[in-house]
Amino acid sequence: LPSSLYNSKILSRAEQVKDEYDYIIVGGGTAGLTVADRLTEDGKYSVLVIEYGSFDNSTSVTTIGGGGGGIGNASHLFILNSVPQPNLMNKTTAVIVGKLLGGSSAVNGLQFHRGQEEDYDRWGSPFGPDSDWSWKGILPYFKKALQFTPPNPDTAAALNIDYDETYWGNTSNVHASFPTFNWPMLKTEMAAFGDIPGAKFPPDSGAGKPGVFWYPTSADPATMTRSHSRTGHWDNIDRDNYETITGSKVLKVFFEGESASGVVFVPNNAKSDVDSTTVKARKEVIISAGTIHTPQILQASGVGPKSLLESASISVVADVPGVGQNFQDHPFRIGVTYTSIALDDNFTVHPDRTDLQLNATFKALADAEFAANRSGPLTIASGNAACFLPFPVIAPERFGAIAASYESQDPASYLPVDSHPTIVAGYAAQQASLAKALRSYKSAYYNLFLGGGPSEGALVFLHPVSRGTINIVPSDPFFTEPVVDYRALTNPTDIDIMVEFIRFTRRYFAVPSLAQFQPRETAPGLNVTSDSDLAEVVKNNISPSTFHPVGTAAMAPRELGGVVDEDLLVYGVKKLSVVDASIIPTLPGAYTQETVYALAEKASFKTFL
Ligand SMILES: Cc1cc2nc3c(=O)[nH]c(=O)nc-3n(C[C@H](O)[C@H](O)[C@H](O)COP(=O)(O)OP(=O)(O)OC[C@H]3O[C@@H](n4cnc5c(N)ncnc54)[C@H](O)[C@@H]3O)c2cc1C
């Protein structure tokens, strides 16, 4: 399509922004554009989306082969530095989220999976048994959020890809599809979990069950390019009531009394508010700036922990202690890697993913096939196969003791020292629920995402129990990026769990069906066995982020530290809501994008229509 078509709805100058819209959406990312599309569909409401980043449809966004191109283009990313992490030898971590129209869905690894039924039931349970934030309540929106195309029959047969279309829909323009080819070794790696007692093979990645399964990529199957919130909810939509301004940073929401009545924004390179523009919202301001920036905007607007706001000389509109608390991400890479015979030519299951880098002939063939037919190895993004296993399967002898020890903790012990009583109460509720999950065969804790190559070790910890914070810098709340503190491994239970992950990984690679590949542990080495030595391995290797930040504007009762209610309206004020990953109270046992699409669909339906 000519870029002029894409650009038709972008207002190129702040002066073109009208004085007032029904809804203002802050952030044109994964959730923001989903909600904007749904709110403008029937023509009843006008919407302005204000996005910090720019529009870009170049190959650095669209290419999917090799894991997606967006992350390679730093201009599409916010890259913050976390504060040094004392439990990670004072290392800092790069905090990476999308910064362009489409948000993180335009830069991510394109993996699509959902969490387990218990994850979504956990979200609603503090509101009582009638809450529709539950698996049953969200499943229709998982179906609505994506257009599912099954794998082609040859690939499905060759690789044993099971799927069940009843878990999917076909009405969205955001696509979930499968590569036309995948690495043969994956079939073997997945089947090998059959040797692990308790590991299951659910009928579909969307079934809400833990186990070992294939899952789709966020790619348009016709073009094999990235399908994301912009292509699905913005491109080719020509509605007078749907306007967007890019390159603009929202500084704050302003209030009339306790009602949010609009926002103030500046050009994204501004260093002060001299060039600011004010725009009003008749019905609601919706903040969809993502887990890192949503708390910054709320706090800078006077909605947050009172003492923090006072230290920044911001007048308090509502004292909401939970804003910026309860920060979670999936810890990644635990320091155990396995290599099967020969990174080299002896590896018997070619082609494998390393052939794209190391075998020029194979690469040339793959390029030619993709150019001719949009098929072949370059339709694989970052991966489509993994295990998501319950903790009792991982640590059959230790899970009970670890759950009991976690359950008996004083909930305040590992939270920030000055945590508000409502935050502690909220954590106590999470603790009870997560202790149950540690004993459950229906929740997934351990994720090894499989590459189908000679070397494996991409481990993701799905339900960490340490909690971090994201807060404004009091001396410069608006123009300095917020302070991101993962507080990684502050709760020792996280270390206990990941030590068991290393032990399980050893068991997996020792199963009989993998023996022919002679897997050997390349790190840390089988001689490292004691709890304390394995704990050191975890501390030395882990990254606190898989780029799945959630939780900083959590949906929970206010007395449990919640920031938004079940309608995603912010406590203590009116006409202000949050719809993005920050409302997720506890991480799902899956990566986060599919869940964000579903919650945005649900919010659009429930709250606004
Ligand atoms: C590198 C990377 C890889 C990932 N891989 C996967 C994966 O393979 N599978 C998976 O399921 N999940 C993955 N994720 C996570 C997933 O993409 C996110 O959880 C999800 O997209 C978050 O959606 P969101 O709407 O909360 O935020 P975003 O999509 O990040 O949207 C927030 C938007 O707000 C804008 N914004 C921020 N501040 C302001 C401001 N002050 N004013 C105006 N606009 C503002 C941002 O520019 C952005 O466009 C990955 C994420 C990243 C970053």
Side-chain angles (χ1 to χ4, degrees), residues 27 29-31 50-52 71 78 96 98-100 103-104 108-111 248 250 288-289 293 297 547 580-581 591-593:
T30 316
I50 307 175
E51 165 54 37
Y52 188 109
I71 184 120
F78 286 103
I96 292 178
K99 186 183 74 178
L100 73 167
S104 298
N108 68 21
L110 300 101
Q111 298 194 34
S248 299
V250 170
S288 300
H293 292 102
I297 295 168
F547 316 123
D580 61 23
Y591 306 175
T592 38
Q593 68 161 339

PDB file of all heavy atoms in Angstrom, residues 27 29-31 50-52 71 78 96 98-100 103-104 108-111 248 250 288-289 293 297 547 580-581 591-593, ligand 1:
ATOM      1  N   GLY A  27      -1.079   6.438  24.259  1.00  0.00           N
ATOM      2  CA  GLY A  27      -0.249   5.296  23.863  1.00  0.00           C
ATOM      3  C   GLY A  27      -0.933   4.473  22.789  1.00  0.00           C
ATOM      4  O   GLY A  27      -1.967   3.853  23.029  1.00  0.00           O
ATOM      5  N   GLY A  29      -0.208   1.605  21.415  1.00  0.00           N
ATOM      6  CA  GLY A  29       0.496   0.325  21.427  1.00  0.00           C
ATOM      7  C   GLY A  29      -0.457  -0.848  21.246  1.00  0.00           C
ATOM      8  O   GLY A  29      -1.496  -0.721  20.581  1.00  0.00           O
ATOM      9  N   THR A  30      -0.102  -1.965  21.842  1.00  0.00           N
ATOM     10  CA  THR A  30      -0.864  -3.207  21.689  1.00  0.00           C
ATOM     11  C   THR A  30      -2.304  -3.009  22.168  1.00  0.00           C
ATOM     12  O   THR A  30      -3.266  -3.226  21.420  1.00  0.00           O
ATOM     13  CB  THR A  30      -0.185  -4.327  22.504  1.00  0.00           C
ATOM     14  OG1 THR A  30       1.225  -4.261  22.272  1.00  0.00           O
ATOM     15  CG2 THR A  30      -0.704  -5.697  22.111  1.00  0.00           C
ATOM     16  N   ALA A  31      -2.453  -2.587  23.404  1.00  0.00           N
ATOM     17  CA  ALA A  31      -3.800  -2.404  23.948  1.00  0.00           C
ATOM     18  C   ALA A  31      -4.440  -1.131  23.388  1.00  0.00           C
ATOM     19  O   ALA A  31      -5.621  -1.122  23.041  1.00  0.00           O
ATOM     20  CB  ALA A  31      -3.737  -2.329  25.475  1.00  0.00           C
ATOM     21  N   ILE A  50      -2.823   9.321  21.201  1.00  0.00           N
ATOM     22  CA  ILE A  50      -1.576  10.103  21.267  1.00  0.00           C
ATOM     23  C   ILE A  50      -0.429   9.121  21.491  1.00  0.00           C
ATOM     24  O   ILE A  50      -0.382   8.439  22.531  1.00  0.00           O
ATOM     25  CB  ILE A  50      -1.623  11.138  22.412  1.00  0.00           C
ATOM     26  CG1 ILE A  50      -2.876  12.007  22.292  1.00  0.00           C
ATOM     27  CG2 ILE A  50      -0.352  11.992  22.394  1.00  0.00           C
ATOM     28  CD1 ILE A  50      -3.065  12.987  23.448  1.00  0.00           C
ATOM     29  N   GLU A  51       0.462   9.023  20.517  1.00  0.00           N
ATOM     30  CA  GLU A  51       1.546   8.029  20.580  1.00  0.00           C
ATOM     31  C   GLU A  51       2.907   8.727  20.603  1.00  0.00           C
ATOM     32  O   GLU A  51       3.176   9.609  19.790  1.00  0.00           O
ATOM     33  CB  GLU A  51       1.441   7.060  19.391  1.00  0.00           C
ATOM     34  CG  GLU A  51       2.665   6.211  19.115  1.00  0.00           C
ATOM     35  CD  GLU A  51       3.181   5.395  20.315  1.00  0.00           C
ATOM     36  OE1 GLU A  51       2.362   4.895  21.104  1.00  0.00           O
ATOM     37  OE2 GLU A  51       4.420   5.293  20.456  1.00  0.00           O
ATOM     38  N   TYR A  52       3.739   8.290  21.491  1.00  0.00           N
ATOM     39  CA  TYR A  52       5.090   8.848  21.653  1.00  0.00           C
ATOM     40  C   TYR A  52       5.949   8.631  20.400  1.00  0.00           C
ATOM     41  O   TYR A  52       6.633   9.528  19.921  1.00  0.00           O
ATOM     42  CB  TYR A  52       5.750   8.163  22.849  1.00  0.00           C
ATOM     43  CG  TYR A  52       7.070   8.754  23.261  1.00  0.00           C
ATOM     44  CD1 TYR A  52       7.180   9.473  24.448  1.00  0.00           C
ATOM     45  CD2 TYR A  52       8.219   8.574  22.487  1.00  0.00           C
ATOM     46  CE1 TYR A  52       8.387  10.014  24.843  1.00  0.00           C
ATOM     47  CE2 TYR A  52       9.424   9.113  22.873  1.00  0.00           C
ATOM     48  CZ  TYR A  52       9.503   9.827  24.047  1.00  0.00           C
ATOM     49  OH  TYR A  52      10.711  10.361  24.432  1.00  0.00           O
ATOM     50  N   ILE A  71      13.242  -5.405  17.223  1.00  0.00           N
ATOM     51  CA  ILE A  71      14.169  -5.243  18.352  1.00  0.00           C
ATOM     52  C   ILE A  71      15.544  -4.791  17.874  1.00  0.00           C
ATOM     53  O   ILE A  71      16.309  -4.200  18.622  1.00  0.00           O
ATOM     54  CB  ILE A  71      14.250  -6.526  19.182  1.00  0.00           C
ATOM     55  CG1 ILE A  71      15.131  -6.341  20.415  1.00  0.00           C
ATOM     56  CG2 ILE A  71      14.787  -7.706  18.390  1.00  0.00           C
ATOM     57  CD1 ILE A  71      14.431  -6.573  21.680  1.00  0.00           C
ATOM     58  N   PHE A  78      12.086   2.116  23.674  1.00  0.00           N
ATOM     59  CA  PHE A  78      12.555   2.773  24.900  1.00  0.00           C
ATOM     60  C   PHE A  78      13.575   1.808  25.490  1.00  0.00           C
ATOM     61  O   PHE A  78      13.280   0.614  25.662  1.00  0.00           O
ATOM     62  CB  PHE A  78      11.427   2.905  25.921  1.00  0.00           C
ATOM     63  CG  PHE A  78      10.401   3.957  25.616  1.00  0.00           C
ATOM     64  CD1 PHE A  78       9.159   3.606  25.106  1.00  0.00           C
ATOM     65  CD2 PHE A  78      10.650   5.293  25.875  1.00  0.00           C
ATOM     66  CE1 PHE A  78       8.190   4.563  24.857  1.00  0.00           C
ATOM     67  CE2 PHE A  78       9.680   6.266  25.634  1.00  0.00           C
ATOM     68  CZ  PHE A  78       8.446   5.901  25.123  1.00  0.00           C
ATOM     69  N   ILE A  96      13.398  -2.813  28.173  1.00  0.00           N
ATOM     70  CA  ILE A  96      13.114  -2.563  26.751  1.00  0.00           C
ATOM     71  C   ILE A  96      11.623  -2.707  26.475  1.00  0.00           C
ATOM     72  O   ILE A  96      11.025  -3.750  26.768  1.00  0.00           O
ATOM     73  CB  ILE A  96      13.923  -3.558  25.882  1.00  0.00           C
ATOM     74  CG1 ILE A  96      15.411  -3.228  26.008  1.00  0.00           C
ATOM     75  CG2 ILE A  96      13.468  -3.524  24.426  1.00  0.00           C
ATOM     76  CD1 ILE A  96      16.328  -4.156  25.248  1.00  0.00           C
ATOM     77  N   GLY A  98       8.450  -1.266  23.395  1.00  0.00           N
ATOM     78  CA  GLY A  98       8.253  -0.650  22.084  1.00  0.00           C
ATOM     79  C   GLY A  98       7.967   0.841  22.176  1.00  0.00           C
ATOM     80  O   GLY A  98       7.334   1.309  23.121  1.00  0.00           O
ATOM     81  N   LYS A  99       8.430   1.576  21.154  1.00  0.00           N
ATOM     82  CA  LYS A  99       8.224   3.027  21.097  1.00  0.00           C
ATOM     83  C   LYS A  99       7.892   3.400  19.658  1.00  0.00           C
ATOM     84  O   LYS A  99       8.703   4.016  18.970  1.00  0.00           O
ATOM     85  CB  LYS A  99       9.510   3.729  21.575  1.00  0.00           C
ATOM     86  CG  LYS A  99       9.412   5.229  21.698  1.00  0.00           C
ATOM     87  CD  LYS A  99      10.741   5.846  22.108  1.00  0.00           C
ATOM     88  CE  LYS A  99      11.756   5.856  20.984  1.00  0.00           C
ATOM     89  NZ  LYS A  99      13.038   6.508  21.354  1.00  0.00           N
ATOM     90  N   LEU A 100       6.768   2.982  19.181  1.00  0.00           N
ATOM     91  CA  LEU A 100       6.306   3.333  17.832  1.00  0.00           C
ATOM     92  C   LEU A 100       4.829   2.995  17.754  1.00  0.00           C
ATOM     93  O   LEU A 100       4.299   2.351  18.673  1.00  0.00           O
ATOM     94  CB  LEU A 100       7.097   2.598  16.738  1.00  0.00           C
ATOM     95  CG  LEU A 100       6.852   1.112  16.519  1.00  0.00           C
ATOM     96  CD1 LEU A 100       7.492   0.690  15.190  1.00  0.00           C
ATOM     97  CD2 LEU A 100       7.439   0.283  17.632  1.00  0.00           C
ATOM     98  N   GLY A 103       3.350  -0.100  19.312  1.00  0.00           N
ATOM     99  CA  GLY A 103       3.944  -0.406  20.622  1.00  0.00           C
ATOM    100  C   GLY A 103       4.786  -1.671  20.593  1.00  0.00           C
ATOM    101  O   GLY A 103       5.427  -2.002  19.590  1.00  0.00           O
ATOM    102  N   SER A 104       4.775  -2.392  21.690  1.00  0.00           N
ATOM    103  CA  SER A 104       5.627  -3.578  21.802  1.00  0.00           C
ATOM    104  C   SER A 104       5.198  -4.680  20.839  1.00  0.00           C
ATOM    105  O   SER A 104       6.004  -5.542  20.485  1.00  0.00           O
ATOM    106  CB  SER A 104       5.637  -4.102  23.240  1.00  0.00           C
ATOM    107  OG  SER A 104       6.181  -3.115  24.098  1.00  0.00           O
ATOM    108  N   ASN A 108       8.097  -7.169  19.090  1.00  0.00           N
ATOM    109  CA  ASN A 108       8.288  -8.348  19.947  1.00  0.00           C
ATOM    110  C   ASN A 108       8.670  -9.598  19.154  1.00  0.00           C
ATOM    111  O   ASN A 108       8.817  -9.573  17.934  1.00  0.00           O
ATOM    112  CB  ASN A 108       7.062  -8.575  20.850  1.00  0.00           C
ATOM    113  CG  ASN A 108       5.825  -8.992  20.087  1.00  0.00           C
ATOM    114  OD1 ASN A 108       5.914  -9.482  18.982  1.00  0.00           O
ATOM    115  ND2 ASN A 108       4.667  -8.808  20.694  1.00  0.00           N
ATOM    116  N   GLY A 109       8.823 -10.695  19.888  1.00  0.00           N
ATOM    117  CA  GLY A 109       9.287 -11.953  19.291  1.00  0.00           C
ATOM    118  C   GLY A 109       8.198 -12.766  18.619  1.00  0.00           C
ATOM    119  O   GLY A 109       8.443 -13.891  18.188  1.00  0.00           O
ATOM    120  N   LEU A 110       7.000 -12.231  18.538  1.00  0.00           N
ATOM    121  CA  LEU A 110       5.870 -12.791  17.777  1.00  0.00           C
ATOM    122  C   LEU A 110       5.312 -14.105  18.315  1.00  0.00           C
ATOM    123  O   LEU A 110       4.533 -14.777  17.644  1.00  0.00           O
ATOM    124  CB  LEU A 110       6.233 -12.968  16.286  1.00  0.00           C
ATOM    125  CG  LEU A 110       6.630 -11.736  15.491  1.00  0.00           C
ATOM    126  CD1 LEU A 110       8.140 -11.651  15.333  1.00  0.00           C
ATOM    127  CD2 LEU A 110       5.993 -11.726  14.110  1.00  0.00           C
ATOM    128  N   GLN A 111       5.730 -14.520  19.484  1.00  0.00           N
ATOM    129  CA  GLN A 111       5.189 -15.775  20.008  1.00  0.00           C
ATOM    130  C   GLN A 111       3.804 -15.505  20.587  1.00  0.00           C
ATOM    131  O   GLN A 111       3.617 -14.540  21.327  1.00  0.00           O
ATOM    132  CB  GLN A 111       6.094 -16.334  21.105  1.00  0.00           C
ATOM    133  CG  GLN A 111       7.484 -16.679  20.608  1.00  0.00           C
ATOM    134  CD  GLN A 111       8.253 -17.534  21.605  1.00  0.00           C
ATOM    135  OE1 GLN A 111       7.705 -18.358  22.307  1.00  0.00           O
ATOM    136  NE2 GLN A 111       9.561 -17.327  21.670  1.00  0.00           N
ATOM    137  N   SER A 248       4.438  12.328  19.979  1.00  0.00           N
ATOM    138  CA  SER A 248       3.939  13.200  21.046  1.00  0.00           C
ATOM    139  C   SER A 248       3.912  12.479  22.377  1.00  0.00           C
ATOM    140  O   SER A 248       3.405  11.355  22.484  1.00  0.00           O
ATOM    141  CB  SER A 248       2.513  13.656  20.714  1.00  0.00           C
ATOM    142  OG  SER A 248       2.535  14.385  19.504  1.00  0.00           O
ATOM    143  N   VAL A 250       2.684  12.311  26.197  1.00  0.00           N
ATOM    144  CA  VAL A 250       1.725  12.808  27.187  1.00  0.00           C
ATOM    145  C   VAL A 250       2.466  13.007  28.507  1.00  0.00           C
ATOM    146  O   VAL A 250       3.138  12.088  28.999  1.00  0.00           O
ATOM    147  CB  VAL A 250       0.542  11.839  27.349  1.00  0.00           C
ATOM    148  CG1 VAL A 250      -0.315  12.225  28.550  1.00  0.00           C
ATOM    149  CG2 VAL A 250      -0.290  11.818  26.071  1.00  0.00           C
ATOM    150  N   SER A 288      -2.888   3.844  28.118  1.00  0.00           N
ATOM    151  CA  SER A 288      -2.408   2.568  27.550  1.00  0.00           C
ATOM    152  C   SER A 288      -0.932   2.709  27.201  1.00  0.00           C
ATOM    153  O   SER A 288      -0.490   2.313  26.126  1.00  0.00           O
ATOM    154  CB  SER A 288      -3.207   2.202  26.289  1.00  0.00           C
ATOM    155  OG  SER A 288      -4.570   2.058  26.570  1.00  0.00           O
ATOM    156  N   ALA A 289      -0.174   3.296  28.096  1.00  0.00           N
ATOM    157  CA  ALA A 289       1.236   3.609  27.808  1.00  0.00           C
ATOM    158  C   ALA A 289       2.171   2.471  28.196  1.00  0.00           C
ATOM    159  O   ALA A 289       3.388   2.592  28.087  1.00  0.00           O
ATOM    160  CB  ALA A 289       1.628   4.902  28.510  1.00  0.00           C
ATOM    161  N   HIS A 293       5.517   3.038  31.529  1.00  0.00           N
ATOM    162  CA  HIS A 293       5.182   4.462  31.504  1.00  0.00           C
ATOM    163  C   HIS A 293       3.809   4.812  32.068  1.00  0.00           C
ATOM    164  O   HIS A 293       3.593   5.960  32.451  1.00  0.00           O
ATOM    165  CB  HIS A 293       5.344   5.011  30.078  1.00  0.00           C
ATOM    166  CG  HIS A 293       6.777   5.021  29.649  1.00  0.00           C
ATOM    167  ND1 HIS A 293       7.318   4.074  28.809  1.00  0.00           N
ATOM    168  CD2 HIS A 293       7.807   5.839  30.007  1.00  0.00           C
ATOM    169  CE1 HIS A 293       8.604   4.317  28.648  1.00  0.00           C
ATOM    170  NE2 HIS A 293       8.936   5.371  29.355  1.00  0.00           N
ATOM    171  N   ILE A 297       2.918   8.292  34.206  1.00  0.00           N
ATOM    172  CA  ILE A 297       1.897   9.287  33.850  1.00  0.00           C
ATOM    173  C   ILE A 297       0.899   9.471  35.000  1.00  0.00           C
ATOM    174  O   ILE A 297       0.527  10.596  35.346  1.00  0.00           O
ATOM    175  CB  ILE A 297       1.186   8.871  32.540  1.00  0.00           C
ATOM    176  CG1 ILE A 297       2.195   8.892  31.388  1.00  0.00           C
ATOM    177  CG2 ILE A 297       0.007   9.787  32.235  1.00  0.00           C
ATOM    178  CD1 ILE A 297       1.711   8.222  30.108  1.00  0.00           C
ATOM    179  N   PHE A 547      11.135  -9.161  28.824  1.00  0.00           N
ATOM    180  CA  PHE A 547      10.373  -8.075  28.176  1.00  0.00           C
ATOM    181  C   PHE A 547       8.873  -8.256  28.371  1.00  0.00           C
ATOM    182  O   PHE A 547       8.083  -7.920  27.498  1.00  0.00           O
ATOM    183  CB  PHE A 547      10.670  -7.971  26.664  1.00  0.00           C
ATOM    184  CG  PHE A 547      12.117  -8.071  26.303  1.00  0.00           C
ATOM    185  CD1 PHE A 547      12.565  -9.042  25.421  1.00  0.00           C
ATOM    186  CD2 PHE A 547      13.036  -7.187  26.826  1.00  0.00           C
ATOM    187  CE1 PHE A 547      13.905  -9.142  25.079  1.00  0.00           C
ATOM    188  CE2 PHE A 547      14.378  -7.266  26.483  1.00  0.00           C
ATOM    189  CZ  PHE A 547      14.812  -8.249  25.618  1.00  0.00           C
ATOM    190  N   ASP A 580      -3.878  -1.748  29.643  1.00  0.00           N
ATOM    191  CA  ASP A 580      -2.609  -2.250  29.075  1.00  0.00           C
ATOM    192  C   ASP A 580      -2.067  -3.304  30.025  1.00  0.00           C
ATOM    193  O   ASP A 580      -2.760  -3.697  30.976  1.00  0.00           O
ATOM    194  CB  ASP A 580      -1.595  -1.104  28.823  1.00  0.00           C
ATOM    195  CG  ASP A 580      -1.211  -0.348  30.087  1.00  0.00           C
ATOM    196  OD1 ASP A 580      -1.347  -0.907  31.196  1.00  0.00           O
ATOM    197  OD2 ASP A 580      -0.770   0.814  29.983  1.00  0.00           O
ATOM    198  N   ALA A 581      -0.840  -3.750  29.788  1.00  0.00           N
ATOM    199  CA  ALA A 581      -0.292  -4.836  30.605  1.00  0.00           C
ATOM    200  C   ALA A 581      -0.128  -4.447  32.071  1.00  0.00           C
ATOM    201  O   ALA A 581      -0.009  -5.329  32.934  1.00  0.00           O
ATOM    202  CB  ALA A 581       1.055  -5.283  30.032  1.00  0.00           C
ATOM    203  N   TYR A 591       3.825 -15.903  27.743  1.00  0.00           N
ATOM    204  CA  TYR A 591       4.271 -14.565  27.421  1.00  0.00           C
ATOM    205  C   TYR A 591       3.028 -13.688  27.309  1.00  0.00           C
ATOM    206  O   TYR A 591       1.893 -14.201  27.268  1.00  0.00           O
ATOM    207  CB  TYR A 591       5.115 -14.546  26.151  1.00  0.00           C
ATOM    208  CG  TYR A 591       6.294 -15.513  26.209  1.00  0.00           C
ATOM    209  CD1 TYR A 591       7.112 -15.719  25.110  1.00  0.00           C
ATOM    210  CD2 TYR A 591       6.582 -16.222  27.374  1.00  0.00           C
ATOM    211  CE1 TYR A 591       8.185 -16.609  25.158  1.00  0.00           C
ATOM    212  CE2 TYR A 591       7.651 -17.104  27.433  1.00  0.00           C
ATOM    213  CZ  TYR A 591       8.443 -17.315  26.330  1.00  0.00           C
ATOM    214  OH  TYR A 591       9.488 -18.183  26.382  1.00  0.00           O
ATOM    215  N   THR A 592       3.209 -12.392  27.202  1.00  0.00           N
ATOM    216  CA  THR A 592       2.090 -11.527  27.578  1.00  0.00           C
ATOM    217  C   THR A 592       1.241 -10.960  26.448  1.00  0.00           C
ATOM    218  O   THR A 592       0.144 -10.466  26.696  1.00  0.00           O
ATOM    219  CB  THR A 592       2.639 -10.369  28.438  1.00  0.00           C
ATOM    220  OG1 THR A 592       3.915  -9.968  27.925  1.00  0.00           O
ATOM    221  CG2 THR A 592       2.804 -10.794  29.875  1.00  0.00           C
ATOM    222  N   GLN A 593       1.697 -11.016  25.183  1.00  0.00           N
ATOM    223  CA  GLN A 593       0.956 -10.230  24.188  1.00  0.00           C
ATOM    224  C   GLN A 593      -0.460 -10.737  23.938  1.00  0.00           C
ATOM    225  O   GLN A 593      -1.391  -9.945  23.801  1.00  0.00           O
ATOM    226  CB  GLN A 593       1.727 -10.061  22.880  1.00  0.00           C
ATOM    227  CG  GLN A 593       1.929 -11.303  22.038  1.00  0.00           C
ATOM    228  CD  GLN A 593       2.275 -10.938  20.589  1.00  0.00           C
ATOM    229  OE1 GLN A 593       1.998  -9.849  20.122  1.00  0.00           O
ATOM    230  NE2 GLN A 593       2.877 -11.871  19.861  1.00  0.00           N
TER     231      GLN A 593
HETATM  232  C1  LIG B   1      11.449  -7.068  22.693  1.00  0.00           C
HETATM  233  C2  LIG B   1      10.154  -7.665  23.138  1.00  0.00           C
HETATM  234  C3  LIG B   1       9.875  -9.004  22.830  1.00  0.00           C
HETATM  235  C4  LIG B   1       8.669  -9.569  23.254  1.00  0.00           C
HETATM  236  N1  LIG B   1       8.337 -10.819  22.827  1.00  0.00           N
HETATM  237  C5  LIG B   1       7.095 -11.316  23.087  1.00  0.00           C
HETATM  238  C6  LIG B   1       6.663 -12.530  22.509  1.00  0.00           C
HETATM  239  O1  LIG B   1       7.357 -13.156  21.710  1.00  0.00           O
HETATM  240  N2  LIG B   1       5.433 -12.997  22.853  1.00  0.00           N
HETATM  241  C7  LIG B   1       4.622 -12.329  23.718  1.00  0.00           C
HETATM  242  O2  LIG B   1       3.531 -12.809  24.024  1.00  0.00           O
HETATM  243  N3  LIG B   1       4.987 -11.137  24.256  1.00  0.00           N
HETATM  244  C8  LIG B   1       6.191 -10.605  23.932  1.00  0.00           C
HETATM  245  N4  LIG B   1       6.547  -9.382  24.422  1.00  0.00           N
HETATM  246  C9  LIG B   1       5.628  -8.684  25.346  1.00  0.00           C
HETATM  247  C10 LIG B   1       4.414  -8.035  24.661  1.00  0.00           C
HETATM  248  O3  LIG B   1       4.761  -7.510  23.417  1.00  0.00           O
HETATM  249  C11 LIG B   1       3.866  -6.937  25.598  1.00  0.00           C
HETATM  250  O4  LIG B   1       3.466  -7.518  26.832  1.00  0.00           O
HETATM  251  C12 LIG B   1       2.656  -6.183  25.067  1.00  0.00           C
HETATM  252  O5  LIG B   1       2.834  -5.840  23.727  1.00  0.00           O
HETATM  253  C13 LIG B   1       2.432  -4.931  25.915  1.00  0.00           C
HETATM  254  O6  LIG B   1       1.339  -4.195  25.435  1.00  0.00           O
HETATM  255  P1  LIG B   1       0.921  -2.801  26.101  1.00  0.00           P
HETATM  256  O7  LIG B   1      -0.268  -2.333  25.364  1.00  0.00           O
HETATM  257  O8  LIG B   1       0.825  -2.970  27.564  1.00  0.00           O
HETATM  258  O9  LIG B   1       2.156  -1.821  25.873  1.00  0.00           O
HETATM  259  P2  LIG B   1       2.861  -1.372  24.514  1.00  0.00           P
HETATM  260  O10 LIG B   1       2.445  -2.215  23.392  1.00  0.00           O
HETATM  261  O11 LIG B   1       4.320  -1.290  24.809  1.00  0.00           O
HETATM  262  O12 LIG B   1       2.278   0.073  24.232  1.00  0.00           O
HETATM  263  C14 LIG B   1       2.580   1.237  24.976  1.00  0.00           C
HETATM  264  C15 LIG B   1       2.636   2.399  24.012  1.00  0.00           C
HETATM  265  O13 LIG B   1       2.604   3.622  24.746  1.00  0.00           O
HETATM  266  C16 LIG B   1       3.522   4.527  24.178  1.00  0.00           C
HETATM  267  N5  LIG B   1       3.869   5.519  25.220  1.00  0.00           N
HETATM  268  C17 LIG B   1       4.635   5.331  26.314  1.00  0.00           C
HETATM  269  N6  LIG B   1       4.699   6.468  27.038  1.00  0.00           N
HETATM  270  C18 LIG B   1       3.959   7.380  26.397  1.00  0.00           C
HETATM  271  C19 LIG B   1       3.642   8.755  26.651  1.00  0.00           C
HETATM  272  N7  LIG B   1       4.100   9.382  27.738  1.00  0.00           N
HETATM  273  N8  LIG B   1       2.860   9.410  25.768  1.00  0.00           N
HETATM  274  C20 LIG B   1       2.388   8.786  24.651  1.00  0.00           C
HETATM  275  N9  LIG B   1       2.659   7.491  24.363  1.00  0.00           N
HETATM  276  C21 LIG B   1       3.419   6.797  25.237  1.00  0.00           C
HETATM  277  C22 LIG B   1       4.662   3.660  23.695  1.00  0.00           C
HETATM  278  O14 LIG B   1       5.433   4.303  22.717  1.00  0.00           O
HETATM  279  C23 LIG B   1       3.910   2.437  23.178  1.00  0.00           C
HETATM  280  O15 LIG B   1       3.583   2.553  21.812  1.00  0.00           O
HETATM  281  C24 LIG B   1       7.748  -8.787  24.027  1.00  0.00           C
HETATM  282  C25 LIG B   1       8.030  -7.447  24.310  1.00  0.00           C
HETATM  283  C26 LIG B   1       9.220  -6.877  23.853  1.00  0.00           C
HETATM  284  C27 LIG B   1       9.488  -5.429  24.161  1.00  0.00           C
END
